[in-house]
Amino acid sequence: MSLKLHSTGVVLGYRRSQATQYPNISLVKIEGVNTRTDSRFYLGKRVCLARRVKKTPKNPQGYKIIWGKVSKSHGSSGVVQARFPRNLPPKAMGAKVRVMLFPSSI
């Protein structure tokens, strides 16, 4: 029996309007979430972006992990907005993220 601890998602970009973009809010499309009601389950869940960095004695694995939190849904197609303590780099657009299934309210 395997337990599923995360869902995969893709960073679409920053929240934006026609003239302004808001780099402190990232849009994430979660796999299997197609409606706004489906996205309500993921509100408050943790988002993890792992990226490769240069290996150092302080970081022998060579990965940097950026944690964020799903804050609200965006639109009607199941896209969610996630906030990170430091803005995601532009290189992260199109990158895969893990949306953890904790903390859970069930």
Side-chain angles (χ1 to χ4, degrees):
M1 184 171 117
S2 66
L3 296 172
K4 185 177 174 185
L5 295 177
H6 65 85
S7 296
T8 57
V10 177
V11 177
L12 300 178
Y14 301 131
R15 179 179 154 220
R16 60 183 300 262
S17 63
Q18 190 171 5
T20 310
Q21 70 180 6
Y22 303 92
N24 57 332
I25 301 171
S26 298
L27 301 178
V28 177
K29 176 66 177 162
I30 303 170
E31 185 180 332
V33 178
N34 297 320
T35 63
R36 181 180 282 255
T37 56
D38 293 343
S39 67
R40 285 194 189 130
F41 171 77
Y42 290 95
L43 298 183
K45 302 289 192 270
R46 304 275 311 233
V47 181
C48 168
L49 172 72
R51 59 187 180 124
R52 285 182 150 308
V53 294
K54 186 177 178 182
K55 290 184 181 180
T56 61
K58 203 173 186 181
N59 185 1
Q61 273 72 37
Y63 285 99
K64 188 170 191 172
I65 297 176
I66 304 172
W67 289 94
K69 190 181 279 190
V70 175
S71 56
K72 62 188 279 190
S73 57
H74 181 85
S76 59
S77 62
V79 176
V80 295
Q81 295 179 14
R83 289 182 178 264
F84 291 85
R86 294 187 63 178
N87 302 346
L88 287 183
K91 195 174 186 178
M93 291 184 195
K96 291 194 182 291
V97 293
R98 291 181 175 188
V99 181
M100 301 299 170
L101 298 180
F102 55 85
S104 180
S105 60
I106 332 179

